[in-house]
Amino acid sequence: MAAEAEEAWKQYAVEGAVGPDTPVEINNALLQIDAERAAELLTYLATYDLVFPGSGRRDRTHARRAAERVVRLLGYEAAWYTNITDLSPGARAWNPVTRHTFDGVVAGTGVAFTVVLLQVGED
């Protein structure tokens, strides 16, 4: 997914930017998380901009309901992954999965479906 997004959005990336080149490198950037953390991060990525975190994209309550529904539909036994390591107040940290300056991904896989939310951005 990250490789496909990179290809589709490469015209928006900074010239000469570097990042993971292979599925193995992308996999190495991901951390396994539980369903509750997945819902929190899905909500964050749907609500806030990684580049300008003060500017909202969507109503937080609506985003949280949507995130919780996605988690329920995949099932609480689904495997969830992210590249985000810290979104505490005043901090934003992640392991890159694209060549964009900012990227955040949450991916979950259940018995029948896989869901991915990937946000990329440049300042």
PDB file of all heavy atoms in Angstrom, residues 12 26-27 32 35 39-41 49 52 56-57 63 75 81 84 94 105 108 116 122:
ATOM      1  N   TYR A  12       4.030  15.103  -5.479  1.00  0.00           N
ATOM      2  CA  TYR A  12       3.886  16.004  -4.334  1.00  0.00           C
ATOM      3  C   TYR A  12       5.054  15.915  -3.357  1.00  0.00           C
ATOM      4  O   TYR A  12       5.150  16.723  -2.441  1.00  0.00           O
ATOM      5  CB  TYR A  12       2.589  15.703  -3.575  1.00  0.00           C
ATOM      6  CG  TYR A  12       1.375  15.814  -4.458  1.00  0.00           C
ATOM      7  CD1 TYR A  12       0.631  14.686  -4.784  1.00  0.00           C
ATOM      8  CD2 TYR A  12       0.961  17.036  -4.981  1.00  0.00           C
ATOM      9  CE1 TYR A  12      -0.485  14.776  -5.604  1.00  0.00           C
ATOM     10  CE2 TYR A  12      -0.148  17.134  -5.801  1.00  0.00           C
ATOM     11  CZ  TYR A  12      -0.866  16.001  -6.103  1.00  0.00           C
ATOM     12  OH  TYR A  12      -1.961  16.096  -6.914  1.00  0.00           O
ATOM     13  N   ILE A  26       9.654  -1.055   4.732  1.00  0.00           N
ATOM     14  CA  ILE A  26       8.375  -0.548   5.227  1.00  0.00           C
ATOM     15  C   ILE A  26       7.912  -1.387   6.402  1.00  0.00           C
ATOM     16  O   ILE A  26       7.506  -0.859   7.440  1.00  0.00           O
ATOM     17  CB  ILE A  26       7.326  -0.517   4.099  1.00  0.00           C
ATOM     18  CG1 ILE A  26       7.734   0.525   3.044  1.00  0.00           C
ATOM     19  CG2 ILE A  26       5.939  -0.217   4.655  1.00  0.00           C
ATOM     20  CD1 ILE A  26       6.941   0.454   1.764  1.00  0.00           C
ATOM     21  N   ASN A  27       7.991  -2.693   6.275  1.00  0.00           N
ATOM     22  CA  ASN A  27       7.605  -3.582   7.371  1.00  0.00           C
ATOM     23  C   ASN A  27       8.410  -3.295   8.633  1.00  0.00           C
ATOM     24  O   ASN A  27       7.863  -3.295   9.742  1.00  0.00           O
ATOM     25  CB  ASN A  27       7.781  -5.046   6.947  1.00  0.00           C
ATOM     26  CG  ASN A  27       7.322  -5.995   8.013  1.00  0.00           C
ATOM     27  OD1 ASN A  27       6.147  -6.008   8.376  1.00  0.00           O
ATOM     28  ND2 ASN A  27       8.236  -6.791   8.535  1.00  0.00           N
ATOM     29  N   GLN A  32       3.384  -3.229  15.971  1.00  0.00           N
ATOM     30  CA  GLN A  32       2.063  -3.814  16.202  1.00  0.00           C
ATOM     31  C   GLN A  32       1.408  -3.103  17.382  1.00  0.00           C
ATOM     32  O   GLN A  32       2.069  -2.781  18.376  1.00  0.00           O
ATOM     33  CB  GLN A  32       2.150  -5.308  16.481  1.00  0.00           C
ATOM     34  CG  GLN A  32       0.784  -5.949  16.486  1.00  0.00           C
ATOM     35  CD  GLN A  32       0.821  -7.454  16.326  1.00  0.00           C
ATOM     36  OE1 GLN A  32       1.861  -8.077  16.413  1.00  0.00           O
ATOM     37  NE2 GLN A  32      -0.338  -8.033  16.067  1.00  0.00           N
ATOM     38  N   ALA A  35      -6.261  -2.911  19.302  1.00  0.00           N
ATOM     39  CA  ALA A  35      -7.425  -2.320  18.647  1.00  0.00           C
ATOM     40  C   ALA A  35      -7.757  -0.931  19.199  1.00  0.00           C
ATOM     41  O   ALA A  35      -8.132  -0.038  18.428  1.00  0.00           O
ATOM     42  CB  ALA A  35      -8.632  -3.251  18.791  1.00  0.00           C
ATOM     43  N   ALA A  39      -7.850   2.537  17.026  1.00  0.00           N
ATOM     44  CA  ALA A  39      -8.984   3.471  16.951  1.00  0.00           C
ATOM     45  C   ALA A  39      -8.532   4.893  17.261  1.00  0.00           C
ATOM     46  O   ALA A  39      -8.955   5.845  16.597  1.00  0.00           O
ATOM     47  CB  ALA A  39     -10.098   3.042  17.901  1.00  0.00           C
ATOM     48  N   GLU A  40      -7.659   5.059  18.257  1.00  0.00           N
ATOM     49  CA  GLU A  40      -7.139   6.388  18.595  1.00  0.00           C
ATOM     50  C   GLU A  40      -6.368   6.994  17.424  1.00  0.00           C
ATOM     51  O   GLU A  40      -6.548   8.170  17.084  1.00  0.00           O
ATOM     52  CB  GLU A  40      -6.213   6.299  19.807  1.00  0.00           C
ATOM     53  CG  GLU A  40      -6.891   5.980  21.109  1.00  0.00           C
ATOM     54  CD  GLU A  40      -5.891   5.693  22.228  1.00  0.00           C
ATOM     55  OE1 GLU A  40      -4.672   5.910  22.028  1.00  0.00           O
ATOM     56  OE2 GLU A  40      -6.329   5.234  23.288  1.00  0.00           O
ATOM     57  N   LEU A  41      -5.494   6.192  16.801  1.00  0.00           N
ATOM     58  CA  LEU A  41      -4.674   6.705  15.711  1.00  0.00           C
ATOM     59  C   LEU A  41      -5.478   6.928  14.435  1.00  0.00           C
ATOM     60  O   LEU A  41      -5.240   7.903  13.720  1.00  0.00           O
ATOM     61  CB  LEU A  41      -3.500   5.763  15.452  1.00  0.00           C
ATOM     62  CG  LEU A  41      -2.468   5.691  16.584  1.00  0.00           C
ATOM     63  CD1 LEU A  41      -1.422   4.622  16.291  1.00  0.00           C
ATOM     64  CD2 LEU A  41      -1.820   7.039  16.828  1.00  0.00           C
ATOM     65  N   ASP A  49      -4.187  17.205  10.634  1.00  0.00           N
ATOM     66  CA  ASP A  49      -3.172  17.221   9.595  1.00  0.00           C
ATOM     67  C   ASP A  49      -1.816  17.005  10.262  1.00  0.00           C
ATOM     68  O   ASP A  49      -1.490  17.685  11.237  1.00  0.00           O
ATOM     69  CB  ASP A  49      -3.222  18.589   8.903  1.00  0.00           C
ATOM     70  CG  ASP A  49      -2.367  18.673   7.681  1.00  0.00           C
ATOM     71  OD1 ASP A  49      -1.171  18.313   7.766  1.00  0.00           O
ATOM     72  OD2 ASP A  49      -2.875  19.108   6.639  1.00  0.00           O
ATOM     73  N   PHE A  52       0.243  20.365   9.792  1.00  0.00           N
ATOM     74  CA  PHE A  52      -0.273  21.472  10.598  1.00  0.00           C
ATOM     75  C   PHE A  52      -1.280  20.909  11.587  1.00  0.00           C
ATOM     76  O   PHE A  52      -2.485  20.966  11.356  1.00  0.00           O
ATOM     77  CB  PHE A  52      -0.929  22.519   9.690  1.00  0.00           C
ATOM     78  CG  PHE A  52      -0.017  23.007   8.595  1.00  0.00           C
ATOM     79  CD1 PHE A  52      -0.180  22.574   7.290  1.00  0.00           C
ATOM     80  CD2 PHE A  52       1.026  23.875   8.886  1.00  0.00           C
ATOM     81  CE1 PHE A  52       0.668  23.011   6.286  1.00  0.00           C
ATOM     82  CE2 PHE A  52       1.882  24.313   7.886  1.00  0.00           C
ATOM     83  CZ  PHE A  52       1.715  23.879   6.582  1.00  0.00           C
ATOM     84  N   GLY A  56      -7.974  21.234  11.778  1.00  0.00           N
ATOM     85  CA  GLY A  56      -8.783  20.023  11.714  1.00  0.00           C
ATOM     86  C   GLY A  56      -9.257  19.723  10.307  1.00  0.00           C
ATOM     87  O   GLY A  56      -9.544  20.628   9.530  1.00  0.00           O
ATOM     88  N   ARG A  57      -9.328  18.444   9.973  1.00  0.00           N
ATOM     89  CA  ARG A  57      -9.839  17.986   8.685  1.00  0.00           C
ATOM     90  C   ARG A  57     -11.286  17.548   8.796  1.00  0.00           C
ATOM     91  O   ARG A  57     -12.037  17.632   7.855  1.00  0.00           O
ATOM     92  CB  ARG A  57      -9.025  16.796   8.174  1.00  0.00           C
ATOM     93  CG  ARG A  57      -7.600  17.099   7.875  1.00  0.00           C
ATOM     94  CD  ARG A  57      -6.873  15.793   7.504  1.00  0.00           C
ATOM     95  NE  ARG A  57      -5.573  16.060   6.991  1.00  0.00           N
ATOM     96  CZ  ARG A  57      -5.281  16.128   5.708  1.00  0.00           C
ATOM     97  NH1 ARG A  57      -6.204  15.951   4.805  1.00  0.00           N
ATOM     98  NH2 ARG A  57      -4.064  16.386   5.315  1.00  0.00           N
ATOM     99  N   ALA A  63     -15.112  11.320  13.413  1.00  0.00           N
ATOM    100  CA  ALA A  63     -13.952  10.489  13.085  1.00  0.00           C
ATOM    101  C   ALA A  63     -13.818   9.332  14.070  1.00  0.00           C
ATOM    102  O   ALA A  63     -13.502   8.208  13.673  1.00  0.00           O
ATOM    103  CB  ALA A  63     -12.681  11.335  13.070  1.00  0.00           C
ATOM    104  N   GLY A  75     -12.985  -6.784  13.587  1.00  0.00           N
ATOM    105  CA  GLY A  75     -12.968  -7.710  14.714  1.00  0.00           C
ATOM    106  C   GLY A  75     -11.837  -7.368  15.665  1.00  0.00           C
ATOM    107  O   GLY A  75     -10.763  -6.942  15.235  1.00  0.00           O
ATOM    108  N   TYR A  81      -1.293  -2.396  12.839  1.00  0.00           N
ATOM    109  CA  TYR A  81       0.079  -1.897  12.754  1.00  0.00           C
ATOM    110  C   TYR A  81       0.071  -0.400  12.478  1.00  0.00           C
ATOM    111  O   TYR A  81      -0.846   0.132  11.856  1.00  0.00           O
ATOM    112  CB  TYR A  81       0.836  -2.606  11.620  1.00  0.00           C
ATOM    113  CG  TYR A  81       0.919  -4.088  11.835  1.00  0.00           C
ATOM    114  CD1 TYR A  81      -0.075  -4.933  11.348  1.00  0.00           C
ATOM    115  CD2 TYR A  81       1.957  -4.648  12.560  1.00  0.00           C
ATOM    116  CE1 TYR A  81      -0.021  -6.297  11.562  1.00  0.00           C
ATOM    117  CE2 TYR A  81       2.022  -6.016  12.786  1.00  0.00           C
ATOM    118  CZ  TYR A  81       1.024  -6.831  12.278  1.00  0.00           C
ATOM    119  OH  TYR A  81       1.078  -8.171  12.512  1.00  0.00           O
ATOM    120  N   ILE A  84       3.473   5.176  13.670  1.00  0.00           N
ATOM    121  CA  ILE A  84       3.451   6.300  14.611  1.00  0.00           C
ATOM    122  C   ILE A  84       3.967   5.838  15.968  1.00  0.00           C
ATOM    123  O   ILE A  84       3.442   4.892  16.544  1.00  0.00           O
ATOM    124  CB  ILE A  84       2.028   6.873  14.734  1.00  0.00           C
ATOM    125  CG1 ILE A  84       1.569   7.394  13.362  1.00  0.00           C
ATOM    126  CG2 ILE A  84       1.969   7.958  15.800  1.00  0.00           C
ATOM    127  CD1 ILE A  84       0.099   7.739  13.286  1.00  0.00           C
ATOM    128  N   TRP A  94       7.385   9.391  14.163  1.00  0.00           N
ATOM    129  CA  TRP A  94       7.012   8.200  13.416  1.00  0.00           C
ATOM    130  C   TRP A  94       8.233   7.670  12.673  1.00  0.00           C
ATOM    131  O   TRP A  94       9.228   8.363  12.500  1.00  0.00           O
ATOM    132  CB  TRP A  94       5.889   8.492  12.424  1.00  0.00           C
ATOM    133  CG  TRP A  94       6.217   9.590  11.475  1.00  0.00           C
ATOM    134  CD1 TRP A  94       6.848   9.469  10.266  1.00  0.00           C
ATOM    135  CD2 TRP A  94       5.985  10.983  11.663  1.00  0.00           C
ATOM    136  NE1 TRP A  94       7.010  10.704   9.689  1.00  0.00           N
ATOM    137  CE2 TRP A  94       6.483  11.653  10.532  1.00  0.00           C
ATOM    138  CE3 TRP A  94       5.380  11.737  12.671  1.00  0.00           C
ATOM    139  CZ2 TRP A  94       6.415  13.032  10.389  1.00  0.00           C
ATOM    140  CZ3 TRP A  94       5.317  13.100  12.521  1.00  0.00           C
ATOM    141  CH2 TRP A  94       5.823  13.732  11.397  1.00  0.00           C
ATOM    142  N   VAL A 105       0.524   6.043   9.129  1.00  0.00           N
ATOM    143  CA  VAL A 105      -0.283   4.937   8.622  1.00  0.00           C
ATOM    144  C   VAL A 105      -0.804   4.106   9.789  1.00  0.00           C
ATOM    145  O   VAL A 105      -0.134   3.945  10.806  1.00  0.00           O
ATOM    146  CB  VAL A 105       0.529   4.049   7.640  1.00  0.00           C
ATOM    147  CG1 VAL A 105       1.668   3.328   8.328  1.00  0.00           C
ATOM    148  CG2 VAL A 105      -0.371   3.048   6.934  1.00  0.00           C
ATOM    149  N   GLY A 108      -4.898  -2.448   9.464  1.00  0.00           N
ATOM    150  CA  GLY A 108      -5.435  -3.579  10.205  1.00  0.00           C
ATOM    151  C   GLY A 108      -5.857  -4.675   9.255  1.00  0.00           C
ATOM    152  O   GLY A 108      -6.344  -4.403   8.158  1.00  0.00           O
ATOM    153  N   VAL A 116      -6.485   0.224   5.482  1.00  0.00           N
ATOM    154  CA  VAL A 116      -5.294   1.060   5.625  1.00  0.00           C
ATOM    155  C   VAL A 116      -5.710   2.518   5.545  1.00  0.00           C
ATOM    156  O   VAL A 116      -6.430   2.909   4.627  1.00  0.00           O
ATOM    157  CB  VAL A 116      -4.259   0.764   4.519  1.00  0.00           C
ATOM    158  CG1 VAL A 116      -3.046   1.673   4.655  1.00  0.00           C
ATOM    159  CG2 VAL A 116      -3.849  -0.704   4.531  1.00  0.00           C
ATOM    160  N   GLU A 122       3.505  17.486   2.989  1.00  0.00           N
ATOM    161  CA  GLU A 122       4.735  18.275   2.859  1.00  0.00           C
ATOM    162  C   GLU A 122       4.440  19.670   3.399  1.00  0.00           C
ATOM    163  O   GLU A 122       3.325  20.151   3.335  1.00  0.00           O
ATOM    164  CB  GLU A 122       5.149  18.392   1.386  1.00  0.00           C
ATOM    165  CG  GLU A 122       5.504  17.077   0.729  1.00  0.00           C
ATOM    166  CD  GLU A 122       6.730  16.399   1.320  1.00  0.00           C
ATOM    167  OE1 GLU A 122       7.546  17.091   1.987  1.00  0.00           O
ATOM    168  OE2 GLU A 122       6.867  15.193   1.132  1.00  0.00           O
TER     169      GLU A 122
END
